[in-house]
Amino acid sequence: MRVPLRLTISTRSVYRCGYMKILVIGGGGREHALVWKLRQSPRIEKVWCAPGNGGISAEAECFPINQADTAAMADLAAKLGADLTVIGPELPLVSGVADEFARREMASFGPSKAAAELEGSKIYAKEFLQRHKIPTARAYGFYNSFDSANAALKNVQWPMVIKADGLCGGKGVLVAQNYDEAKQFLERSMEKREFGEGGARVLLEHAIRGEELSLIVMTDSERVAAMAPARDHKRVFDNDEGPNTGGMGAYSSDELLPAELGARIEKQIVRPAIRGMASEGRPYLGFLYFGLMLTAEGPSVLEFNCRMGDPEAQAIIYRMDFDLAEALANCAAGKLDVDAIHWKREPSVCVVMASEGYPTSPKVGQHISGIQDAEAIPGVKVFHAGTRREGSDYYTSSGRALGVTCGGASLSAAVKTCYEAVDKIEFSGAHYRTDIAGRALKKSLATL
């Protein structure tokens, strides 16, 4: 999709003589998928990752880094002689790492601090959507204190949604079914500060119903290329039960986004958002994630992310049929070639294997076996999210450990193969959802 805007963007090439050295910032499954895909490019000379993880370290040299230290990240890129730095997670972007690179006239892929506020502040994002008349749920209000937010609960319809304003590691949103649930969440967020300073302010909004869709675009702030559509599974247990997580799995299929719906989203949501950011002096460059709800009245924006979602990235990157290194370099230089973006027709699936106790109190340090057996299955790639490596052995290091990913001739074939691979992998306390893409498969069977 193209979004014509009048902007002045540097067209400086970020690679020399056709070859690139790229530094990827981040250490999760999304970054493993980026490293994996970048290394397939014939233009790549070297890929590094900071801080990386166990799985990434087997494919790229990794360096320890504080992802909140913008100067340290730029220093590392300069020391390595990176032609381009790709920033994966939200924290460095919201902290302003792209601004630090721009100040030093170093190439990076990711939005400025001002543009990343679309994710850094749920309140800013809601007000932005309202200003530009982009479809979104009705807001009850924004609140700076527990008392004012608690009082406002008397005038809402149930269920309703509470969103912590800042970054909370995927734990700052609750769909509350009743007053007691909502009050308890407000206490945790605003009084106990369980989510840090990101929970000091909250947004209360009306809950809308429908099916969720993740649509991510790549943009140089003028041209826009839509990535393959995906659907995430946030709840920790089957049938969308249990607490929200960072994501327990995702799938990508063209059937998620029929042409007519895609055109409507482009016209009513994507174009106004990109133009709106430019008009507010915050031109957006990088990946922009639109978390959408497909309601009976049409698509509506639930949230923005200033980067690719995780685990959606794993499913989406698996389907890429283009040179990602070249695309990112051109985009960073303000020359995104939309016509060069192509996709494999086959759908893909990613199943997250999590540590015991995730998402509340994951137990880590467990030995992982069977990864090699899983990847011996044709079409399977195991992306590491929270692992560390000791020699040839891997151990869990955080809640979401692995993202087992594969494609297939059909969605059912991809799901079947993916779970066959999951069954090969073992670590103490491992748990995962058994119904990733299950609703879509049931719907397909119902139409036969």
Side-chain angles (χ1 to χ4, degrees), residues 342-355:
H342 303 287
W343 300 93
K344 297 174 184 175
R345 296 186 62 181
E346 295 81 7
S348 60
V349 178
C350 174
V351 176
V352 169
M353 299 187 71
S355 300

Side-chain angles (χ1 to χ4, degrees), residues 72-140:
M73 286 178 276
D75 287 344
L76 176 61
K79 179 181 178 181
L80 294 172
D83 297 301
L84 176 67
T85 299
V86 179
I87 301 104
E90 63 274 22
L91 178 59
L93 293 166
V94 172
S95 299
V97 67
D99 303 76
E100 180 65 16
F101 274 76
R103 186 183 69 79
R104 302 190 192 193
E105 297 186 341
M106 296 164 58
S108 70
F109 181 86
S112 66
K113 181 176 182 177
E117 195 172 4
L118 277 177
E119 179 171 5
S121 171
K122 296 293 191 297
I123 292 174
Y124 168 76
K126 178 62 71 172
E127 292 177 327
F128 171 83
L129 290 164
Q130 293 171 335
R131 281 195 299 274
H132 295 280
K133 297 180 172 55
I134 298 171
T136 187
R138 174 168 55 94
Y140 293 119

Side-chain angles (χ1 to χ4, degrees), residues 160-179:
M160 55 81 64
V161 180
I162 305 174
K163 295 180 178 179
D165 180 49
L167 300 180
C168 299
K171 301 176 182 178
V173 177
L174 175 72
V175 180
Q177 302 296 323
N178 53 57
Y179 171 75

Side-chain angles (χ1 to χ4, degrees), residues 2-22:
R2 298 178 182 271
V3 182
L5 295 171
R6 294 181 179 177
L7 295 174
T8 301
I9 307 174
S10 170
T11 58
R12 179 173 63 87
S13 174
V14 300
Y15 51 90
R16 306 180 305 274
C17 303
Y19 292 98
M20 288 178 279
K21 294 184 288 186
I22 296 182

Side-chain angles (χ1 to χ4, degrees), residues 118 215-217 273-274 284 286-290 304-307:
L118 277 177
L215 180 65
I216 302 167
V217 304
I274 301 300
Y284 196 100
F287 288 120
L288 180 57
Y289 171 110
F290 294 82
F304 292 106
N305 288 338
C306 61
R307 34 74 192 189

Side-chain angles (χ1 to χ4, degrees), residues 4 36 50 59 77 81 100 171 219 245 271 279 309 345 389 411 413:
W36 172 76
E59 300 184 33
E100 180 65 16
K171 301 176 182 178
T219 177
T245 70
R271 286 176 180 263
S279 71
R345 296 186 62 181
R389 181 165 67 104
L411 184 59

Side-chain angles (χ1 to χ4, degrees), residues 198-221:
R201 303 173 71 205
V202 298
L203 157 67
L204 305 185
E205 69 178 27
H206 179 66
I208 53 178
R209 300 180 184 276
E211 289 192 298
E212 292 191 34
L213 176 72
S214 299
L215 180 65
I216 302 167
V217 304
M218 179 192 301
T219 177
D220 61 11
S221 72

Side-chain angles (χ1 to χ4, degrees), residues 355-356 362-368 386-388 390 393-399 401 426-429:
S355 300
E356 180 180 355
K363 297 181 180 179
V364 299
Q366 305 301 318
H367 180 260
I368 306 170
T387 68
R388 59 181 174 84
E390 295 182 10
D393 293 328
Y394 293 99
Y395 298 84
T396 61
S397 63
S398 66
E426 294 183 359
F427 56 92
S428 179

